[in-house]
Amino acid sequence: MAKGIKNEVAIIGMGCTKFGELWQKSASDLIVDAYLEAVEDAGIDKNDIDAAWFGTCFDEVNVGKSGLTLSKALKLPFIPVTRVENFCTSGTESFRGACYAVASGSCDIALALGVEKLKDTGYGGLPDFGNLLGLENRSTFPNMTAPGGFAMMATTYFAKYGLSPEAGKRALAHVSSKSHHNGTLHPKAHLRKEISIEKVMKAPIIAWPLGLFDCCGVSDGAACAVVCRADMAKNFRVDPIYVKSLQIAVTSGEEMAHQRWDCAHVETTCRAGINAYKEAGITHPREEIGMMELHDCFSITEFVTYEDLQISPRGRARDDVESGFFDLDGKIPCQTDGGLKCFGHPIGASGLRMIYEVYKQLQGRADRRQIRNPRLGLTHNLGGFPCMSVASVGIFGNEL
Amino acid sequence: MVGITSYGAYIPWYRLNRKIIFEQFGWFNPATAGVAVGEKAVANYDEDTLTMAVSAAVDCLTNEDRDSLYGLFLASTSLPFAERQNSVIVSEALDLDSGIRTADFSGSIRSGTSALLCALDGVKNKRRILVCAGDNRMGKPGSSQEHTFGDGAAALLVGNEGVIAAFKGGYSVSRDFIDHRRTSMDKFGYGWEERWIRDEGYAKIIPEAALGLIQKYHLNVGDFAKIVIACPVAGALKGLVKTLGASPDQIQDNLMADVGDTGTAMPLMMLVAALEDAKPGDKILVLSYGSGSDALFFEATDEIKNVQKERKGIKGHLAERNDLPVYSKYLVFRNMIPLDVGIRGEDISPTAMSVLWREGKCVSALVGSKCQACGTPQYPPQRVCVNPDCGVIDHMEDFRFSDKIGTLTSYTGDNLAFSWDPPQIYGLVDFKEGGRLFLDLTDCSLDTINVGMPVSMRFRRKYSDPQRGFFGYFWKAVPFK
């Protein structure tokens, strides 16, 4: 494996808008809001930025293709701007582009910004995928929605590990209920309401066995990061956050077409996790990771990710979940800002929003959500469906 | 000897008790009380004449060689496409050779027996021809046809080797008797007075063909073990039995009590039912009706027993049923009322014909590829083997999944996805031979499926695009029975 970019790049500023149904804000408004917070936090202006990466998923609705949406909104001075898209990892992909540019030496300071305006699509939930997966998909693939695609993983997980639907749904309900609590503590979160385990379990079914509260918020929002060479980070602030690893794994297609995949885990998350731990030099993730922002698009996704990232043993996530291991006061707090579940999920912004929370926690600036002395934080995105996915894992630390 | 070498049938899973129709529209047309008895078979929202014909053909081709069929004829008055040959869609779904002769027969509910006669006439030199007939005609809400019309299909393989029912002769009468008509602009047909149809139509035209055949071949009505009279009207049927001088136990049940008037398919479905119970040597007379009448005379051979065991046929399909308990579902399934489908139901992207043509039997017949190096079947067909331990490039052969039994590894019932019958149920299907597919499930409910259950493949309508005039077909999984 290549040497990687551990400790080569530092985050010196971040911004994040409030997430939610932002009927009054355009994508450009959100871009400007997230950007302003980030450059003020970093203490730079746009002439300091060498290049920018822009993440957005549903270009067809509202946001548009290419890097122009970002450069025009910010009036960036004819610098390179690249738009990236990789389903729900789009935000992390933009961050990866900026980090690689800095690590390569071609930029001193780079900007990553992700935005999504889902609430202008007219859909409750994500827009239909239609031809999103290519023209061929149309004639052969089921009319699968995101909740349906992930619900199948819960069906098979329950069957594989002998959980009754009641027991399985209860364990998943704990995941969502925990995030709802954390979400109440963040002023920028989309959904800020305590939801009990009983209420999660009794909610209307969206895609069996997942109910309404097993599904994340569908939101508008933007988030932004300013990164620079690690060796110059202290020129900007006393508490820069260092990138320890950034890994992406994209499916080979075997889960969909070869029976090796058991439909009860996400292979790309496993692979990205292994590589990320290697790059960061982590050998005992359960002991070393201080907090996690996981891609909890659905409760089952967060649930299997505990296992896929080697935090919980295979088939045993339920024990950790129900013992409070991932609660705000647990051993590895997860979704301390509410996660996708409650902070919301404007797709292109989500990866950067997770990094935003890890950044704040590692700096000790997380207000009422602040956990005790975290050293390493992990972010995880999962795009596509469990059967054909792209996963990203980022690890960040407050020390070199 | 030329004759029938195999048979198959298909009856949709859903049955609508006619009382449910009468409860809704009896107030408007109290005269329909007379026909509001029994139940009728109703095609699911994803079924039409083509899908039913394919299912009947699959039944008919059980343990039969699919290669080297000479022809496939499809008869129906409810063909989905006015242009784009319907029979070739059936042929390709069955993965038959492109060297086959295909033809659509339509215009009259007699076209089922017309297609059969043409096929029988065309048999020589070991030629085998598959004849399919199916109909799902719609009766206007409030009409008696709404009660009587039912959905179903039959398939008969004809040839001169392994004949189970020898064709001994036919006699046709063609008359422009306009009891019922429908122009190319109409969704529903238009009829003349029922008593006139009974007295001048059924009562005179069917006997003309029947007696014509009996005289031509020097037979007596009493010679027949079974007489198939494709007459859906009880009173008219009673009169015909009398006119022909037949005894009631000679008359094949017309399936009106549990399937309904399946139009083009009716005489062939009744023939299949007769063949299911036929003994070697039994003579069978088939009488169809519509713009005249065809009379066909068959005699069962010793070989009939071989086929009787292996086909689901009429009996098997009659046993597989599920109540359609809500009238509004029937209206929706048959596209008879506008439904608030919402943004997910409206969003239909155009079908790229170039893609469909290029994909070919991958879409039409569920044909994937099998790696010649490691033996892994895979779908859709791949150039690079999907087996992570193999990965060989361009060493693939065709592998047909449509006739394989799979196991349900995962599933969900999706209330967010648009469906004409929510929730949309789909799942992951693994095959014993290897390979897996994500497929829609149909003809089942969420509470009757579970991980590990066996499923079989069914050809169904996957979507329709009314704006651009297109129906997309693909395969779905159904619980294996």
Side-chain angles (χ1 to χ4, degrees), chain A residues 241-242 244-245 282 288-293 332-333 354 357-359 361-362 371 374-380 393-398:
Chain A
I241 298 303
Y242 300 99
K244 300 294 178 182
S245 65
I282 290 171
E288 295 175 62
I289 298 292
M291 65 164 296
M292 301 195 293
E293 283 288 326
I332 304 183
M354 294 172 171
E357 176 66 4
V358 168
Y359 173 81
Q361 289 279 5
L362 292 177
I371 59 171
R375 285 181 51 251
L376 291 174
L378 179 149
T379 65
H380 159 257
V393 173
I395 299 175
F396 307 88
N398 49 15

PDB file of all heavy atoms in Angstrom, chain A residues 241-242 244-245 282 288-293 332-333 354 357-359 361-362 371 374-380 393-398:
ATOM      1  N   ILE A 241      -6.754  20.737  12.558  1.00  0.00           N
ATOM      2  CA  ILE A 241      -7.067  19.308  12.643  1.00  0.00           C
ATOM      3  C   ILE A 241      -6.388  18.610  11.465  1.00  0.00           C
ATOM      4  O   ILE A 241      -6.477  19.073  10.330  1.00  0.00           O
ATOM      5  CB  ILE A 241      -8.597  19.095  12.607  1.00  0.00           C
ATOM      6  CG1 ILE A 241      -9.256  19.770  13.812  1.00  0.00           C
ATOM      7  CG2 ILE A 241      -8.952  17.603  12.548  1.00  0.00           C
ATOM      8  CD1 ILE A 241      -8.753  19.313  15.176  1.00  0.00           C
ATOM      9  N   TYR A 242      -5.717  17.501  11.784  1.00  0.00           N
ATOM     10  CA  TYR A 242      -4.895  16.835  10.771  1.00  0.00           C
ATOM     11  C   TYR A 242      -5.629  15.653  10.155  1.00  0.00           C
ATOM     12  O   TYR A 242      -6.323  14.899  10.847  1.00  0.00           O
ATOM     13  CB  TYR A 242      -3.574  16.379  11.388  1.00  0.00           C
ATOM     14  CG  TYR A 242      -2.788  17.553  11.938  1.00  0.00           C
ATOM     15  CD1 TYR A 242      -2.809  17.859  13.301  1.00  0.00           C
ATOM     16  CD2 TYR A 242      -2.069  18.390  11.072  1.00  0.00           C
ATOM     17  CE1 TYR A 242      -2.126  18.955  13.796  1.00  0.00           C
ATOM     18  CE2 TYR A 242      -1.378  19.493  11.565  1.00  0.00           C
ATOM     19  CZ  TYR A 242      -1.413  19.778  12.926  1.00  0.00           C
ATOM     20  OH  TYR A 242      -0.745  20.866  13.400  1.00  0.00           O
ATOM     21  N   LYS A 244      -5.667  12.141   8.913  1.00  0.00           N
ATOM     22  CA  LYS A 244      -4.873  10.930   9.168  1.00  0.00           C
ATOM     23  C   LYS A 244      -5.040   9.908   8.040  1.00  0.00           C
ATOM     24  O   LYS A 244      -4.124   9.148   7.752  1.00  0.00           O
ATOM     25  CB  LYS A 244      -5.298  10.286  10.496  1.00  0.00           C
ATOM     26  CG  LYS A 244      -5.124  11.205  11.713  1.00  0.00           C
ATOM     27  CD  LYS A 244      -3.649  11.486  11.971  1.00  0.00           C
ATOM     28  CE  LYS A 244      -3.485  12.451  13.149  1.00  0.00           C
ATOM     29  NZ  LYS A 244      -2.050  12.779  13.378  1.00  0.00           N
ATOM     30  N   SER A 245      -6.212   9.890   7.477  1.00  0.00           N
ATOM     31  CA  SER A 245      -6.409   9.015   6.318  1.00  0.00           C
ATOM     32  C   SER A 245      -7.695   9.406   5.589  1.00  0.00           C
ATOM     33  O   SER A 245      -8.605   9.991   6.179  1.00  0.00           O
ATOM     34  CB  SER A 245      -6.480   7.533   6.727  1.00  0.00           C
ATOM     35  OG  SER A 245      -7.623   7.301   7.517  1.00  0.00           O
ATOM     36  N   ILE A 282      -3.735   2.704  12.523  1.00  0.00           N
ATOM     37  CA  ILE A 282      -4.596   2.263  13.627  1.00  0.00           C
ATOM     38  C   ILE A 282      -4.698   0.741  13.596  1.00  0.00           C
ATOM     39  O   ILE A 282      -5.005   0.145  12.559  1.00  0.00           O
ATOM     40  CB  ILE A 282      -5.990   2.911  13.490  1.00  0.00           C
ATOM     41  CG1 ILE A 282      -5.870   4.403  13.796  1.00  0.00           C
ATOM     42  CG2 ILE A 282      -7.010   2.254  14.428  1.00  0.00           C
ATOM     43  CD1 ILE A 282      -7.108   5.201  13.507  1.00  0.00           C
ATOM     44  N   GLU A 288      -8.943   2.781  19.799  1.00  0.00           N
ATOM     45  CA  GLU A 288      -8.262   4.022  19.415  1.00  0.00           C
ATOM     46  C   GLU A 288      -9.181   5.129  18.911  1.00  0.00           C
ATOM     47  O   GLU A 288      -8.886   6.310  19.094  1.00  0.00           O
ATOM     48  CB  GLU A 288      -7.204   3.709  18.338  1.00  0.00           C
ATOM     49  CG  GLU A 288      -6.085   2.814  18.860  1.00  0.00           C
ATOM     50  CD  GLU A 288      -5.114   2.409  17.763  1.00  0.00           C
ATOM     51  OE1 GLU A 288      -4.469   3.303  17.190  1.00  0.00           O
ATOM     52  OE2 GLU A 288      -5.019   1.203  17.467  1.00  0.00           O
ATOM     53  N   ILE A 289     -10.265   4.745  18.282  1.00  0.00           N
ATOM     54  CA  ILE A 289     -11.164   5.768  17.719  1.00  0.00           C
ATOM     55  C   ILE A 289     -11.982   6.406  18.849  1.00  0.00           C
ATOM     56  O   ILE A 289     -12.543   5.705  19.697  1.00  0.00           O
ATOM     57  CB  ILE A 289     -12.122   5.143  16.680  1.00  0.00           C
ATOM     58  CG1 ILE A 289     -11.342   4.559  15.493  1.00  0.00           C
ATOM     59  CG2 ILE A 289     -13.161   6.154  16.189  1.00  0.00           C
ATOM     60  CD1 ILE A 289     -10.660   5.590  14.614  1.00  0.00           C
ATOM     61  N   GLY A 290     -12.033   7.724  18.848  1.00  0.00           N
ATOM     62  CA  GLY A 290     -12.705   8.429  19.940  1.00  0.00           C
ATOM     63  C   GLY A 290     -14.161   8.756  19.649  1.00  0.00           C
ATOM     64  O   GLY A 290     -14.970   8.890  20.573  1.00  0.00           O
ATOM     65  N   MET A 291     -14.494   8.933  18.387  1.00  0.00           N
ATOM     66  CA  MET A 291     -15.875   9.255  18.013  1.00  0.00           C
ATOM     67  C   MET A 291     -16.060   8.939  16.535  1.00  0.00           C
ATOM     68  O   MET A 291     -15.087   8.843  15.785  1.00  0.00           O
ATOM     69  CB  MET A 291     -16.172  10.739  18.235  1.00  0.00           C
ATOM     70  CG  MET A 291     -15.359  11.646  17.323  1.00  0.00           C
ATOM     71  SD  MET A 291     -15.967  13.345  17.220  1.00  0.00           S
ATOM     72  CE  MET A 291     -17.564  13.160  16.482  1.00  0.00           C
ATOM     73  N   MET A 292     -17.306   8.793  16.122  1.00  0.00           N
ATOM     74  CA  MET A 292     -17.553   8.486  14.710  1.00  0.00           C
ATOM     75  C   MET A 292     -18.784   9.239  14.209  1.00  0.00           C
ATOM     76  O   MET A 292     -19.763   9.406  14.928  1.00  0.00           O
ATOM     77  CB  MET A 292     -17.799   6.978  14.510  1.00  0.00           C
ATOM     78  CG  MET A 292     -16.644   6.100  14.977  1.00  0.00           C
ATOM     79  SD  MET A 292     -16.763   4.400  14.354  1.00  0.00           S
ATOM     80  CE  MET A 292     -18.204   3.798  15.204  1.00  0.00           C
ATOM     81  N   GLU A 293     -18.675   9.704  12.986  1.00  0.00           N
ATOM     82  CA  GLU A 293     -19.839  10.216  12.256  1.00  0.00           C
ATOM     83  C   GLU A 293     -20.056   9.243  11.099  1.00  0.00           C
ATOM     84  O   GLU A 293     -19.309   9.254  10.119  1.00  0.00           O
ATOM     85  CB  GLU A 293     -19.569  11.631  11.735  1.00  0.00           C
ATOM     86  CG  GLU A 293     -19.658  12.702  12.798  1.00  0.00           C
ATOM     87  CD  GLU A 293     -21.098  12.969  13.260  1.00  0.00           C
ATOM     88  OE1 GLU A 293     -22.029  12.875  12.425  1.00  0.00           O
ATOM     89  OE2 GLU A 293     -21.295  13.256  14.456  1.00  0.00           O
ATOM     90  N   ILE A 332     -17.628   4.965  22.378  1.00  0.00           N
ATOM     91  CA  ILE A 332     -17.388   5.646  21.093  1.00  0.00           C
ATOM     92  C   ILE A 332     -18.690   6.349  20.681  1.00  0.00           C
ATOM     93  O   ILE A 332     -19.546   5.752  20.026  1.00  0.00           O
ATOM     94  CB  ILE A 332     -16.952   4.660  19.981  1.00  0.00           C
ATOM     95  CG1 ILE A 332     -15.708   3.876  20.403  1.00  0.00           C
ATOM     96  CG2 ILE A 332     -16.700   5.424  18.679  1.00  0.00           C
ATOM     97  CD1 ILE A 332     -15.184   2.927  19.326  1.00  0.00           C
ATOM     98  N   PRO A 333     -18.832   7.594  21.075  1.00  0.00           N
ATOM     99  CA  PRO A 333     -20.060   8.299  20.689  1.00  0.00           C
ATOM    100  C   PRO A 333     -20.174   8.402  19.164  1.00  0.00           C
ATOM    101  O   PRO A 333     -19.185   8.682  18.479  1.00  0.00           O
ATOM    102  CB  PRO A 333     -19.904   9.690  21.313  1.00  0.00           C
ATOM    103  CG  PRO A 333     -18.851   9.527  22.370  1.00  0.00           C
ATOM    104  CD  PRO A 333     -17.941   8.444  21.884  1.00  0.00           C
ATOM    105  N   MET A 354     -20.033  15.945   8.276  1.00  0.00           N
ATOM    106  CA  MET A 354     -19.462  15.006   9.254  1.00  0.00           C
ATOM    107  C   MET A 354     -18.082  15.471   9.697  1.00  0.00           C
ATOM    108  O   MET A 354     -17.753  15.437  10.889  1.00  0.00           O
ATOM    109  CB  MET A 354     -19.327  13.618   8.628  1.00  0.00           C
ATOM    110  CG  MET A 354     -20.634  12.968   8.297  1.00  0.00           C
ATOM    111  SD  MET A 354     -20.263  11.467   7.359  1.00  0.00           S
ATOM    112  CE  MET A 354     -21.882  10.727   7.321  1.00  0.00           C
ATOM    113  N   GLU A 357     -18.294  18.263  12.158  1.00  0.00           N
ATOM    114  CA  GLU A 357     -18.567  17.873  13.545  1.00  0.00           C
ATOM    115  C   GLU A 357     -17.314  17.277  14.207  1.00  0.00           C
ATOM    116  O   GLU A 357     -17.001  17.611  15.354  1.00  0.00           O
ATOM    117  CB  GLU A 357     -19.728  16.869  13.598  1.00  0.00           C
ATOM    118  CG  GLU A 357     -20.039  16.310  14.977  1.00  0.00           C
ATOM    119  CD  GLU A 357     -20.568  17.347  15.976  1.00  0.00           C
ATOM    120  OE1 GLU A 357     -20.765  18.516  15.563  1.00  0.00           O
ATOM    121  OE2 GLU A 357     -20.768  16.996  17.157  1.00  0.00           O
ATOM    122  N   VAL A 358     -16.617  16.438  13.461  1.00  0.00           N
ATOM    123  CA  VAL A 358     -15.386  15.851  14.018  1.00  0.00           C
ATOM    124  C   VAL A 358     -14.386  16.961  14.341  1.00  0.00           C
ATOM    125  O   VAL A 358     -13.751  16.975  15.410  1.00  0.00           O
ATOM    126  CB  VAL A 358     -14.779  14.824  13.028  1.00  0.00           C
ATOM    127  CG1 VAL A 358     -13.368  14.421  13.446  1.00  0.00           C
ATOM    128  CG2 VAL A 358     -15.678  13.598  12.926  1.00  0.00           C
ATOM    129  N   TYR A 359     -14.265  17.903  13.420  1.00  0.00           N
ATOM    130  CA  TYR A 359     -13.377  19.067  13.575  1.00  0.00           C
ATOM    131  C   TYR A 359     -13.707  19.835  14.858  1.00  0.00           C
ATOM    132  O   TYR A 359     -12.839  20.116  15.686  1.00  0.00           O
ATOM    133  CB  TYR A 359     -13.575  19.920  12.324  1.00  0.00           C
ATOM    134  CG  TYR A 359     -12.917  21.275  12.250  1.00  0.00           C
ATOM    135  CD1 TYR A 359     -11.573  21.406  11.909  1.00  0.00           C
ATOM    136  CD2 TYR A 359     -13.677  22.436  12.426  1.00  0.00           C
ATOM    137  CE1 TYR A 359     -10.998  22.674  11.764  1.00  0.00           C
ATOM    138  CE2 TYR A 359     -13.111  23.702  12.288  1.00  0.00           C
ATOM    139  CZ  TYR A 359     -11.769  23.815  11.957  1.00  0.00           C
ATOM    140  OH  TYR A 359     -11.212  25.061  11.809  1.00  0.00           O
ATOM    141  N   GLN A 361     -15.464  18.762  17.468  1.00  0.00           N
ATOM    142  CA  GLN A 361     -15.256  17.921  18.656  1.00  0.00           C
ATOM    143  C   GLN A 361     -13.778  17.824  19.000  1.00  0.00           C
ATOM    144  O   GLN A 361     -13.386  17.930  20.173  1.00  0.00           O
ATOM    145  CB  GLN A 361     -15.821  16.502  18.418  1.00  0.00           C
ATOM    146  CG  GLN A 361     -17.350  16.428  18.373  1.00  0.00           C
ATOM    147  CD  GLN A 361     -17.997  16.396  19.769  1.00  0.00           C
ATOM    148  OE1 GLN A 361     -17.319  16.525  20.801  1.00  0.00           O
ATOM    149  NE2 GLN A 361     -19.320  16.271  19.797  1.00  0.00           N
ATOM    150  N   LEU A 362     -12.951  17.638  17.979  1.00  0.00           N
ATOM    151  CA  LEU A 362     -11.510  17.486  18.235  1.00  0.00           C
ATOM    152  C   LEU A 362     -10.892  18.800  18.725  1.00  0.00           C
ATOM    153  O   LEU A 362      -9.863  18.798  19.408  1.00  0.00           O
ATOM    154  CB  LEU A 362     -10.785  17.002  16.970  1.00  0.00           C
ATOM    155  CG  LEU A 362     -11.118  15.572  16.516  1.00  0.00           C
ATOM    156  CD1 LEU A 362     -10.390  15.244  15.215  1.00  0.00           C
ATOM    157  CD2 LEU A 362     -10.742  14.548  17.586  1.00  0.00           C
ATOM    158  N   ILE A 371     -17.719  15.874  23.692  1.00  0.00           N
ATOM    159  CA  ILE A 371     -17.345  14.629  24.369  1.00  0.00           C
ATOM    160  C   ILE A 371     -15.971  14.825  25.001  1.00  0.00           C
ATOM    161  O   ILE A 371     -15.261  15.792  24.686  1.00  0.00           O
ATOM    162  CB  ILE A 371     -17.343  13.445  23.389  1.00  0.00           C
ATOM    163  CG1 ILE A 371     -16.368  13.683  22.235  1.00  0.00           C
ATOM    164  CG2 ILE A 371     -18.757  13.210  22.862  1.00  0.00           C
ATOM    165  CD1 ILE A 371     -16.159  12.471  21.370  1.00  0.00           C
ATOM    166  N   PRO A 374     -11.494  13.725  22.910  1.00  0.00           N
ATOM    167  CA  PRO A 374     -11.295  12.850  21.749  1.00  0.00           C
ATOM    168  C   PRO A 374      -9.961  13.177  21.088  1.00  0.00           C
ATOM    169  O   PRO A 374      -9.541  14.337  21.050  1.00  0.00           O
ATOM    170  CB  PRO A 374     -12.464  13.218  20.844  1.00  0.00           C
ATOM    171  CG  PRO A 374     -12.788  14.636  21.191  1.00  0.00           C
ATOM    172  CD  PRO A 374     -12.446  14.810  22.648  1.00  0.00           C
ATOM    173  N   ARG A 375      -9.288  12.155  20.606  1.00  0.00           N
ATOM    174  CA  ARG A 375      -8.034  12.374  19.881  1.00  0.00           C
ATOM    175  C   ARG A 375      -8.204  12.068  18.392  1.00  0.00           C
ATOM    176  O   ARG A 375      -7.631  12.742  17.549  1.00  0.00           O
ATOM    177  CB  ARG A 375      -6.927  11.501  20.472  1.00  0.00           C
ATOM    178  CG  ARG A 375      -6.390  11.999  21.796  1.00  0.00           C
ATOM    179  CD  ARG A 375      -5.275  11.094  22.316  1.00  0.00           C
ATOM    180  NE  ARG A 375      -4.257  10.863  21.302  1.00  0.00           N
ATOM    181  CZ  ARG A 375      -4.061   9.696  20.670  1.00  0.00           C
ATOM    182  NH1 ARG A 375      -4.811   8.660  20.950  1.00  0.00           N
ATOM    183  NH2 ARG A 375      -3.112   9.570  19.754  1.00  0.00           N
ATOM    184  N   LEU A 376      -8.982  11.023  18.122  1.00  0.00           N
ATOM    185  CA  LEU A 376      -9.201  10.630  16.735  1.00  0.00           C
ATOM    186  C   LEU A 376     -10.704  10.528  16.459  1.00  0.00           C
ATOM    187  O   LEU A 376     -11.440   9.950  17.261  1.00  0.00           O
ATOM    188  CB  LEU A 376      -8.555   9.258  16.450  1.00  0.00           C
ATOM    189  CG  LEU A 376      -7.033   9.178  16.445  1.00  0.00           C
ATOM    190  CD1 LEU A 376      -6.594   7.724  16.295  1.00  0.00           C
ATOM    191  CD2 LEU A 376      -6.447  10.024  15.312  1.00  0.00           C
ATOM    192  N   GLY A 377     -11.083  11.116  15.345  1.00  0.00           N
ATOM    193  CA  GLY A 377     -12.488  11.010  14.930  1.00  0.00           C
ATOM    194  C   GLY A 377     -12.562  10.396  13.542  1.00  0.00           C
ATOM    195  O   GLY A 377     -11.647  10.570  12.722  1.00  0.00           O
ATOM    196  N   LEU A 378     -13.644   9.675  13.279  1.00  0.00           N
ATOM    197  CA  LEU A 378     -13.794   8.972  11.999  1.00  0.00           C
ATOM    198  C   LEU A 378     -15.083   9.420  11.307  1.00  0.00           C
ATOM    199  O   LEU A 378     -16.110   9.589  11.961  1.00  0.00           O
ATOM    200  CB  LEU A 378     -13.815   7.460  12.259  1.00  0.00           C
ATOM    201  CG  LEU A 378     -13.985   6.505  11.071  1.00  0.00           C
ATOM    202  CD1 LEU A 378     -13.251   5.197  11.350  1.00  0.00           C
ATOM    203  CD2 LEU A 378     -15.442   6.237  10.730  1.00  0.00           C
ATOM    204  N   THR A 379     -14.990   9.625  10.011  1.00  0.00           N
ATOM    205  CA  THR A 379     -16.206   9.874   9.225  1.00  0.00           C
ATOM    206  C   THR A 379     -16.364   8.782   8.178  1.00  0.00           C
ATOM    207  O   THR A 379     -15.371   8.235   7.685  1.00  0.00           O
ATOM    208  CB  THR A 379     -16.182  11.235   8.505  1.00  0.00           C
ATOM    209  OG1 THR A 379     -15.139  11.222   7.526  1.00  0.00           O
ATOM    210  CG2 THR A 379     -15.958  12.379   9.481  1.00  0.00           C
ATOM    211  N   HIS A 380     -17.620   8.483   7.864  1.00  0.00           N
ATOM    212  CA  HIS A 380     -17.907   7.396   6.920  1.00  0.00           C
ATOM    213  C   HIS A 380     -19.105   7.787   6.056  1.00  0.00           C
ATOM    214  O   HIS A 380     -20.120   8.249   6.563  1.00  0.00           O
ATOM    215  CB  HIS A 380     -18.241   6.123   7.712  1.00  0.00           C
ATOM    216  CG  HIS A 380     -19.017   5.105   6.929  1.00  0.00           C
ATOM    217  ND1 HIS A 380     -20.383   4.902   7.097  1.00  0.00           N
ATOM    218  CD2 HIS A 380     -18.630   4.217   5.975  1.00  0.00           C
ATOM    219  CE1 HIS A 380     -20.785   3.942   6.284  1.00  0.00           C
ATOM    220  NE2 HIS A 380     -19.748   3.510   5.591  1.00  0.00           N
ATOM    221  N   VAL A 393     -14.045   6.508   4.009  1.00  0.00           N
ATOM    222  CA  VAL A 393     -13.730   6.603   5.429  1.00  0.00           C
ATOM    223  C   VAL A 393     -12.627   7.640   5.589  1.00  0.00           C
ATOM    224  O   VAL A 393     -11.614   7.596   4.870  1.00  0.00           O
ATOM    225  CB  VAL A 393     -13.276   5.247   6.014  1.00  0.00           C
ATOM    226  CG1 VAL A 393     -12.786   5.410   7.449  1.00  0.00           C
ATOM    227  CG2 VAL A 393     -14.431   4.238   5.964  1.00  0.00           C
ATOM    228  N   GLY A 394     -12.843   8.577   6.478  1.00  0.00           N
ATOM    229  CA  GLY A 394     -11.831   9.577   6.795  1.00  0.00           C
ATOM    230  C   GLY A 394     -11.497   9.492   8.278  1.00  0.00           C
ATOM    231  O   GLY A 394     -12.380   9.241   9.102  1.00  0.00           O
ATOM    232  N   ILE A 395     -10.233   9.674   8.608  1.00  0.00           N
ATOM    233  CA  ILE A 395      -9.844   9.696  10.021  1.00  0.00           C
ATOM    234  C   ILE A 395      -9.065  10.987  10.273  1.00  0.00           C
ATOM    235  O   ILE A 395      -8.216  11.393   9.455  1.00  0.00           O
ATOM    236  CB  ILE A 395      -9.021   8.447  10.399  1.00  0.00           C
ATOM    237  CG1 ILE A 395      -9.882   7.187  10.165  1.00  0.00           C
ATOM    238  CG2 ILE A 395      -8.573   8.511  11.863  1.00  0.00           C
ATOM    239  CD1 ILE A 395      -9.162   5.876  10.393  1.00  0.00           C
ATOM    240  N   PHE A 396      -9.401  11.621  11.360  1.00  0.00           N
ATOM    241  CA  PHE A 396      -8.865  12.951  11.664  1.00  0.00           C
ATOM    242  C   PHE A 396      -8.348  12.973  13.096  1.00  0.00           C
ATOM    243  O   PHE A 396      -8.891  12.302  13.974  1.00  0.00           O
ATOM    244  CB  PHE A 396      -9.964  14.008  11.482  1.00  0.00           C
ATOM    245  CG  PHE A 396     -10.621  13.921  10.136  1.00  0.00           C
ATOM    246  CD1 PHE A 396     -11.719  13.084   9.929  1.00  0.00           C
ATOM    247  CD2 PHE A 396     -10.112  14.629   9.060  1.00  0.00           C
ATOM    248  CE1 PHE A 396     -12.312  12.972   8.681  1.00  0.00           C
ATOM    249  CE2 PHE A 396     -10.695  14.528   7.800  1.00  0.00           C
ATOM    250  CZ  PHE A 396     -11.799  13.692   7.616  1.00  0.00           C
ATOM    251  N   GLY A 397      -7.289  13.777  13.329  1.00  0.00           N
ATOM    252  CA  GLY A 397      -6.738  13.855  14.681  1.00  0.00           C
ATOM    253  C   GLY A 397      -6.352  15.280  15.020  1.00  0.00           C
ATOM    254  O   GLY A 397      -6.139  16.124  14.135  1.00  0.00           O
ATOM    255  N   ASN A 398      -6.255  15.556  16.332  1.00  0.00           N
ATOM    256  CA  ASN A 398      -5.878  16.918  16.738  1.00  0.00           C
ATOM    257  C   ASN A 398      -4.405  17.036  17.107  1.00  0.00           C
ATOM    258  O   ASN A 398      -3.964  18.039  17.628  1.00  0.00           O
ATOM    259  CB  ASN A 398      -6.794  17.411  17.871  1.00  0.00           C
ATOM    260  CG  ASN A 398      -6.918  16.387  18.994  1.00  0.00           C
ATOM    261  OD1 ASN A 398      -6.113  15.449  19.065  1.00  0.00           O
ATOM    262  ND2 ASN A 398      -7.909  16.577  19.851  1.00  0.00           N
TER     263      ASN A 398
END
